[in-house]
C-alpha cells in the first residue's frame, strides 16, 4: 500500500516538475512567448523592436542590417552610400550599375511622386537642409535661398533606368521622407526569415512594421499620437492584423515658431515652405513600409480630398485629421479605429 | 501516520516550488521595458538603467571618449539636464512622463523611453 502511494507521489512530482520545465522554457507568467526588446538610434531616428518568440535575440543583427541599409544605400550623409555617390556626381555623368535594391525603391518613390503630382519629391533635399528641422541649424530661411533651390527641385528631372540614374547639376537626392518606411520593410523581411518568431513590432520613428501575430492571437494595438495633445496623449487606437505597415506624418513632431507662426517639417515641394493643406495628422496603413511612409507625407501635402483619392488609388487605408479636429477614416479602418479624445469628432 | 506526513511534506514542498517559480516568471515578464511609471535608458541598443519616475534623482550615463548625459527624474518625469553632445538637442526635448516620443541623443547613442501605456493600455506601439 505504502509503495503504491510512494510511486504515485514520485510520478506526481515528476509530472509537476516537467510542467515547470515547459513553463520556464520560453513562456512567462502571462502565457506569452519569450519577449526580446531593444531601443536604439538607427537611420537617424529612434528605433524600438519587440519580438515574440524565436530561438534567440535577433535584434542586434537587425540593428546591423539597418545600419548597413543606411551606410550602403540611403543616407546622403554617408559618403559610402549609393545616394551620396549619385549626388557627388552632380550632373557630370550618370551613375551606372545602381543596385537592384535602390532602383526598386526609386521606382516606387517616383510612382508616388508621379501619382501625387509631386506632393512627394525625392529631390527636395537641398531645401530640407536649409530649414534643418530638428537639427543644430534649424532656422527660417530667406525667400531668395528657397527660390534658388526650388529651381533645382523636381522629381521629373531625374532620369532613372534599370541600371543607371542621372541627376542634373545642382539637384540633390534625399530619401528622408521614405527612409524609415524602407527600414520598416527591410526589418519585416529580416524578421520573417528567422526561425520560430511568432510576431514582432518594429518601430522606426513614426513608421511601424507589424509582423505575424501576438502569442495570444489578439490584434496588434497601436495608438495614434494626439496631434494637439500634451506629451503622451493619444488620439485613438487602431486594432490591426500582421503584415501591415503604419506611418504617421504630422505637423507637431518637428517644428519651431517665429512670430507665433508654426513652421513644421513637412515641406510642400512646390513652395519650399511647410505644407498648409488644412491637415495636421495623416496616418496610413498598407502592405508596404515605403508606401505607408511616402503616402502619409504626400497626403499631408495634398490635403483631405486629394489625399483620400490617392489612398484609394493605392488601396491604402488612413486616418486623416484636419485643423478643426475633424477625423476622417477610410472605409477599411472604420471598425478598427477607436477614438479616445472627445475633443475630436469623427466625420461619417 | 508516517505516510500522511510524507504526503503533506511533499505537497508543501511542491507548492513552494510552484509559488517561487510563478513569482520568478511574473517578475521576468515585467522586466521588458514596458511598465508604466518607469523609464528605460538604452545606450548603443543595450538597456543600461531602469528608473522609477516616482523617486527624484540625478545621475550620469557615461559613454566612450568622455561622452556623458546628466539625467534628472523629477515630478514623475525624466529629462536630460546636461550632456557632452555639441547640439544638446536631447536637453531641448524637455521632460517626458508617458511618451510616446522618446528622448534621443544621436551623438551619444542614448535613448530614454518611458512605460508608454503599454502595460495599462496593452499598447504594442505608438505612431507619431
Amino acid at each position: 500500500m505504502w509503495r503504491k502511494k510512494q510511486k504515485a507521489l514520485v510520478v506526481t512530482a515528476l509530472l509537476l516538475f516537467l510542467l515547470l520545465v515547459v513553463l520556464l522554457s520560453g513562456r512567462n507568467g502571462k502565457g506569452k512567448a519569450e519577449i526580446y526588446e531593444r531601443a536604439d538610434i538607427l537611420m537617424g531616428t529612434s528605433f524600438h523592436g519587440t519580438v515574440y518568440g524565436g530561438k534567440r535575440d535577433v535584434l542586434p543583427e537587425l540593428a546591423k542590417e539597418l545600419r548597413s541599409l543606411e551606410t550602403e544605400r540611403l543616407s546622403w550623409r554617408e559618403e559610402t552610400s549609393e545616394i551620396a555617390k549619385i549626388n557627388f556626381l552632380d550632373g557630370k555623368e550618370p551613375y551606372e550599375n545602381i543596385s537592384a535594391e535602390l532602383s526598386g525603391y526609386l521606382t516606387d518613390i517616383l510612382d508616388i511622386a508621379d501619382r501625387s503630382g509631386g506632393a512627394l519629391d525625392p529631390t527636395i533635399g537641398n531645401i530640407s537642409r536649409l530649414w534643418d528641422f530638428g537639427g543644430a541649424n534649424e532656422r527660417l530661411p530667406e525667400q531668395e535661398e528657397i527660390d534658388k533651390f526650388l529651381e533645382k527641385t523636381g522629381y521629373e528631372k531625374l532620369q532613372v533606368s534599370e541600371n543607371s540614374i542621372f541627376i542634373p547639376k545642382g539637384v540633390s537626392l534625399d530619401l528622408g521622407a521614405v527612409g524609415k518606411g524602407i527600414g520598416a520593410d527591410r526589418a519585416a523581411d529580416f524578421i520573417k526569415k528567422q526561425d520560430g518568431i511568432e510576431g514582432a513590432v518594429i518601430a522606426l520613428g513614426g513608421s511601424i512594421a507589424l509582423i505575424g501575430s501576438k502569442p495570444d492571437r489578439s490584434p496588434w494595438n497601436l495608438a495614434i499620437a494626439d496631434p494637439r495633445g500634451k506629451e503622451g496623449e493619444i488620439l485613438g487606437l487602431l486594432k490591426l492584423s500582421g503584415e501591415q505597415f503604419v506611418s504617421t506624418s504630422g505637423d507637431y513632431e518637428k517644428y519651431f515658431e517665429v512670430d507665433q507662426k508654426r513652421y513644421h517639417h513637412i515641406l510642400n515641394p512646390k513652395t519650399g515652405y511647410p505644407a498648409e493643406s488644412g491637415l495636421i495628422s495623416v496616418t496610413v496603413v498598407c502592405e508596404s513600409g515605403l508606401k505607408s511612409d511616402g503616402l502619409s507625407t504626400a497626403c499631408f501635402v495634398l490635403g483631405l480630398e486629394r489625399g483620400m483619392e490617392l489612398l484609394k488609388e493605392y488601396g491604402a487605408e488612413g486616418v486623416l485629421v484636419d485643423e478643426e479636429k475633424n477625423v476622417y477614416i477610410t472605409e477599411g479602418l472604420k471598425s478598427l479605429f477607436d477614438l479616445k479624445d472627445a475633443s475630436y469628432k469623427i466625420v461619417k | 501516520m508516517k505516510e500522511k506526513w510524507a504526503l503533506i511534506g511533499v505537497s508543501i514542498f511542491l507548492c513552494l516550488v510552484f509559488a517561487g517559480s510563478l513569482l520568478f516568471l511574473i517578475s521576468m515578464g515585467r522586466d521588458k521595458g514596458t511598465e508604466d511609471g518607469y523609464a528605460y535608458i538604452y545606450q548603443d541598443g543595450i538597456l543600461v538603467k531602469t528608473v522609477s519616475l516616482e523617486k527624484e534623482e540625478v545621475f550620469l550615463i557615461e559613454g566612450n571618449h568622455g561622452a556623458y548625459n546628466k539625467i534628472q527624474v523629477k515630478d514623475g518625469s525624466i529629462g536630460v539636464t546636461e550632456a557632452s553632445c555639441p547640439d544638446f538637442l536631447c536637453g531641448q526635448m524637455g521632460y517626458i512622463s508617458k511618451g510616446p516620443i522618446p528622448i534621443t541623443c544621436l551623438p551619444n547613442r542614448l535613448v530614454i523611453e518611458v512605460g508608454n501605456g503599454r502595460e495599462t493600455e496593452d499598447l504594442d506601439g505608438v505612431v507619431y
Side-chain angles (χ1 to χ4, degrees):
Chain A
M1 188 64 148
W2 169 231
R3 286 216 166 151
K4 266 189 182 174
K5 282 196 174 171
Q6 245 184 339
K7 268 186 188 171
L9 265 175
V10 170
V11 170
T12 313
L14 272 173
L15 282 173
L16 286 169
F17 180 72
L18 279 171
L19 191 65
L20 271 176
V21 169
V22 170
L23 277 168
L24 278 164
S25 60
R27 299 273 160 185
N28 70 22
K30 293 171 184 170
K32 290 177 183 170
E34 186 60 76
I35 305 171
Y36 301 100
E37 295 221 25
R38 182 186 180 95
D40 205 337
I41 290 174
L42 296 167
M43 303 182 72
T45 190
S46 59
F47 164 93
H48 191 106
T50 308
V51 173
Y52 294 91
K55 291 177 179 163
R56 62 197 165 82
D57 184 4
V58 297
L59 287 166
E61 281 168 59
L62 173 59
K64 268 189 201 166
E65 180 108 353
L66 293 177
R67 270 189 213 109
S68 74
L69 174 65
E70 187 182 15
T71 55
E72 290 170 20
R73 301 277 175 263
L74 302 182
S75 175
W76 60 267
R77 289 186 176 89
E78 303 276 351
E79 56 184 30
T80 49
S81 83
E82 281 192 285
I83 289 292
K85 287 174 186 168
I86 293 165
N87 284 342
F88 183 73
L89 286 172
D90 196 26
K92 289 185 197 83
E93 56 187 283
Y95 178 80
E96 303 288 354
N97 299 320
I98 187 170
S99 68
E101 186 186 349
L102 184 63
S103 174
Y105 298 148
L106 287 169
T107 304
D108 287 345
I109 294 164
L110 291 176
D111 186 58
I112 299 175
D114 197 31
R115 294 209 224 174
S116 68
L120 177 79
D121 197 318
T123 63
I124 201 172
N126 281 324
I127 299 178
S128 300
R129 290 196 270 287
L130 269 183
W131 290 84
D132 197 28
F133 287 100
N137 303 309
E138 186 175 82
R139 70 188 174 96
L140 175 59
E142 298 293 330
Q143 182 71 54
E144 283 176 8
E145 297 174 282
I146 290 175
D147 289 344
K148 193 179 117 193
F149 285 124
L150 267 183
E151 286 172 22
K152 304 287 184 189
T153 301
Y155 71 96
E156 62 283 339
K157 294 182 171 71
L158 301 177
Q159 294 164 34
V160 185
S161 67
E162 206 175 308
N163 302 314
S164 74
I165 177 169
F166 176 76
I167 58 170
K169 189 175 170 53
V171 177
S172 178
L173 269 181
D174 183 345
L175 306 192
V178 287
K180 296 168 189 76
I182 293 172
D185 281 330
R186 176 72 85 91
D189 290 343
F190 173 87
I191 294 286
K192 282 181 205 161
K193 282 183 204 154
Q194 311 303 316
D195 283 340
I197 292 177
E198 293 179 48
V201 182
I202 306 294
L204 270 163
S207 288
I208 289 185
L210 302 172
I211 306 141
S213 61
K214 283 197 267 191
D216 64 4
R217 307 284 172 227
S218 63
W220 297 108
N221 200 19
L222 288 191
I224 300 176
D226 180 348
R228 290 292 178 264
K230 291 189 201 118
E231 179 258 324
E233 291 180 339
I234 61 172
L235 168 74
L237 296 174
L238 272 174
K239 291 207 180 297
L240 299 169
S241 56
E243 323 325 324
Q244 296 195 86
F245 296 81
V246 189
S247 295
T248 294
S249 292
D251 67 354
Y252 51 90
E253 192 202 343
K254 288 180 192 168
Y255 70 91
F256 61 84
E257 287 181 359
V258 177
D259 297 333
Q260 293 177 319
K261 184 173 166 62
R262 178 188 288 226
Y263 294 92
H264 63 79
H265 75 295
I266 305 170
L267 299 175
N268 182 340
K270 302 280 183 233
T271 63
Y273 279 88
E276 292 182 10
S277 66
L279 295 177
I280 58 174
S281 167
V282 175
T283 299
V284 174
V285 182
C286 68
E287 82 301 343
S288 143
L290 184 155
K291 286 179 187 163
S292 69
D293 206 3
L295 287 174
S296 67
T297 303
C299 290
F300 189 98
V301 172
L302 288 174
L304 179 66
E305 205 173 310
R306 290 190 59 204
M308 282 291 198
E309 282 168 17
L310 187 65
L311 291 182
K312 203 171 181 185
E313 212 175 305
Y314 274 95
E317 303 291 343
V319 177
L320 289 70
V321 186
D322 72 14
E323 50 202 5
E324 307 295 322
K325 291 195 163 184
N326 294 312
V327 182
Y328 302 85
I329 308 166
T330 55
E331 206 53 47
L333 288 185
K334 277 184 178 161
S335 61
L336 307 174
F337 178 76
D338 182 13
L339 185 69
K340 287 287 182 188
D341 187 326
S343 70
Y344 290 83
K345 191 181 79 188
I346 294 177
V347 177
K348 305 274 179 193
Chain B
M1 198 52 128
K2 241 182 176 179
E3 301 162 25
K4 195 180 165 189
W5 284 113
L7 193 69
I8 291 170
V10 172
S11 306
I12 290 172
F13 171 74
L14 288 172
C15 285
L16 285 172
V17 169
F18 246 106
S21 307
L22 280 174
L23 280 174
F24 170 72
L25 289 162
I26 288 165
S27 70
M28 265 178 65
R30 280 196 176 157
D31 190 21
K32 298 295 177 190
T34 61
E35 201 173 359
D36 292 349
Y38 284 82
Y40 301 87
I41 299 153
Y42 291 81
Q43 191 178 40
D44 279 322
I46 310 292
L47 181 64
V48 291
K49 196 172 172 71
T50 302
V51 290
S52 164
L53 295 177
E54 282 167 19
K55 189 181 152 218
E56 302 214 339
E57 61 175 314
V58 176
F59 54 90
L60 269 186
I61 298 288
E62 293 174 290
N64 296 328
H65 312 296
Y68 72 90
N69 295 75
K70 195 177 199 177
I71 296 166
Q72 183 181 37
V73 179
K74 67 163 189 181
D75 303 329
S77 62
I78 186 165
V80 179
T81 56
E82 198 182 311
S84 59
C85 55
D87 49 20
F88 195 52
L89 292 172
C90 51
Q92 289 171 30
M93 294 177 85
Y95 285 74
I96 58 170
S97 58
K98 290 188 281 183
I101 303 176
I103 292 176
T104 51
C105 180
L106 270 67
N108 295 350
R109 305 194 53 74
L110 189 88
V111 181
I112 304 173
E113 291 189 336
V114 289
N116 235 349
R118 280 182 282 169
E119 190 92 343
T120 48
E121 296 270 358
D122 195 23
L123 284 184
D124 297 301
V126 183
V127 280
Y128 54 86

